[in-house]
């Protein structure tokens, strides 16, 4: 018996990094997976590996998100778990940041969490059971230089999570966030070796995490009874970077 046997789970950002690792972990626990990502080529490869349904989707496109979410619920007869993992990271000092850069970050890393949750939640409420898990970042808690837009978007995800959790828990829908520390995915490939060395030295654990070390937290939050008491929480697989 898998911890997620029979659950229909939609994972965004599933073509790469943590989204792909969560998809693998969910598949291993028996979930029926639906993967979404805007990178159609990598998504097709990831879905083929798992025999999963795949949707090329830009999570900033409200109509497209609604179509995919409602389509999954209609064709599968249910949508039990939503994992909001799609995201981008850019580094720009605040004094040089233009409005478009800020707006794009908010659209991809925050507004998308609202869109996917907004359209998924009614299906979960109707069923009386659901889990919404959003990948924030420890930078939501501590901030980061040249990351005002990213830190703001991720802090917004935590606020959204708490408010949605209060509204939806009475309907059996549990909403939580995961705020990872630095994780070895393509997202941080571009950062300088100097930054990586200095950052690692700062971490109590002395090393970055791997995507497969974050995925079990997403399994826990989606499972029963492991996840049943988490409501509006932020779990922090972060190598000790932040201890709230
Ligand atoms: N890697 C880290 O150190 C780290 C730390 C904390 C939080 N995070 C967060 O974890 C999540 C996953 O990041 P990752 O490290 O696995 O990065 P990644 O770059 O490997 O994966 C992100 C995925 O999101 C997809 N994506 C981006 N914009 C999209 C859009 N508009 N529509 C649909 N898909 C889109 C990308 O195509 C990619 O497949 C992100 O939300 C990120 O902010 C990452």
């Amino acid at each position: 018996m898998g911890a997620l046997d029979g659950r229909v789970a939609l994972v965004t950002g599933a073509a790469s990094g943590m989204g792909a690792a969560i998809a693998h972990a969910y598949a291993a626990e028996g979930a029926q997976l639906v993967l979404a990502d805007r990178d159609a080529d990598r998504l097709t490869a990831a879905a083929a590996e798992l025999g999963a349904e795949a949707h090329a989707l830009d999570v900033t496109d409200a109509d497209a998100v609604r179509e995919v979410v409602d389509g999954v619920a209609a064709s599968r007869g249910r949508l039990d778990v939503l994992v909001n993992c799609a995201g981008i990271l850019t580094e720009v000092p605040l004094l040089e940041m233009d409005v478009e850069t800020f707006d794009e970050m908010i659209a991809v890393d925050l507004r998308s969490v609202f869109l996917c949750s907004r359209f998924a939640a009614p299906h979960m409420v109707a069923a009386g059971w659901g889990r919404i898990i959003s990948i924030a970042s420890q930078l939501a808690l501590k901030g980061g230089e040249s990351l005002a837009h990213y830190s703001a978007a991720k802090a917004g995800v935590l606020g959204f999570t708490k408010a949605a959790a209060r509204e939806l828990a009475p309907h059996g829908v549990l909403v939580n966030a995961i705020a990872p520390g630095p994780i070895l995915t393509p997202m941080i490939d571009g950062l300088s070796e100097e930054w990586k060395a200095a950052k690692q030295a700062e971490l109590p654990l002395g090393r970055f995490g791997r995507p497969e070390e974050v995925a079990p937290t997403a399994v826990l939050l989606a499972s029963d009874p492991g996840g049943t008491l988490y409501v509006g929480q932020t779990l922090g697989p972060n190598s000790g970077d932040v201890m709230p």
Side-chain angles (χ1 to χ4, degrees):
M1 277 277 288
L4 304 179
D5 270 345
R7 300 291 186 204
V8 174
L10 170 61
V11 182
T12 73
S16 175
M18 277 181 264
I22 290 168
H24 273 269
Y26 276 22
E29 293 295 344
Q32 298 173 37
L33 274 173
V34 183
L35 310 185
D37 201 291
R38 72 173 169 192
D39 183 337
D41 291 342
R42 296 186 72 186
L43 177 68
T44 305
E49 226 175 280
L50 294 172
E53 179 181 337
H55 293 272
L57 172 70
D58 180 345
V59 290
T60 66
D61 181 337
D63 292 339
V65 170
R66 185 197 289 261
E67 200 174 307
V68 167
V69 169
D70 287 349
V72 170
S75 65
R76 305 283 184 133
R78 57 198 293 161
L79 174 55
D80 302 300
V81 182
L82 166 68
V83 180
N84 291 308
C85 195
I88 55 170
L89 173 71
T90 55
E91 287 183 286
V92 189
L94 180 60
L95 295 178
E96 295 164 23
M97 192 179 293
D98 56 32
V99 174
E100 290 72 24
T101 300
F102 185 85
D103 286 349
E104 184 195 21
M105 183 61 73
I106 297 298
V108 180
D109 282 28
L110 173 58
R111 184 173 172 273
S112 70
V113 171
F114 159 72
L115 291 176
C116 295
S117 306
R118 172 66 186 88
F119 300 132
H123 301 291
M124 298 175 179
V125 168
W129 196 99
R131 300 285 161 91
I132 297 175
I133 300 159
S134 300
I135 310 302
S137 163
Q138 103 279 16
L139 295 169
L141 304 170
K142 68 186 290 191
E145 280 172 33
S146 299
L147 292 167
H149 55 339
Y150 185 80
S151 305
K154 295 301 192 180
V157 169
L158 299 189
F160 175 82
T161 295
K162 292 172 191 173
R166 286 181 188 280
E167 286 191 41
L168 299 179
H171 299 281
V173 179
L174 306 185
V175 187
N176 291 287
I178 299 173
I183 307 296
L184 294 165
T185 72
M187 182 170 276
I188 67 164
D189 277 352
L191 301 175
S192 74
E193 291 308 316
E194 294 72 34
W195 181 88
K196 288 181 193 168
K199 184 71 208 173
Q200 278 196 160
E202 222 176 270
L203 297 172
L205 198 59
R207 68 171 179 84
F208 293 172
R210 298 185 304 274
E212 60 272 23
E213 293 176 295
V214 176
T217 305
V219 172
L220 174 81
L221 289 172
S223 64
D224 278 351
T228 45
L229 292 183
Y230 290 104
V231 180
Q233 300 300 306
T234 301
L235 274 60
N238 66 14
S239 305
D241 198 12
V242 174
M243 301 182 193

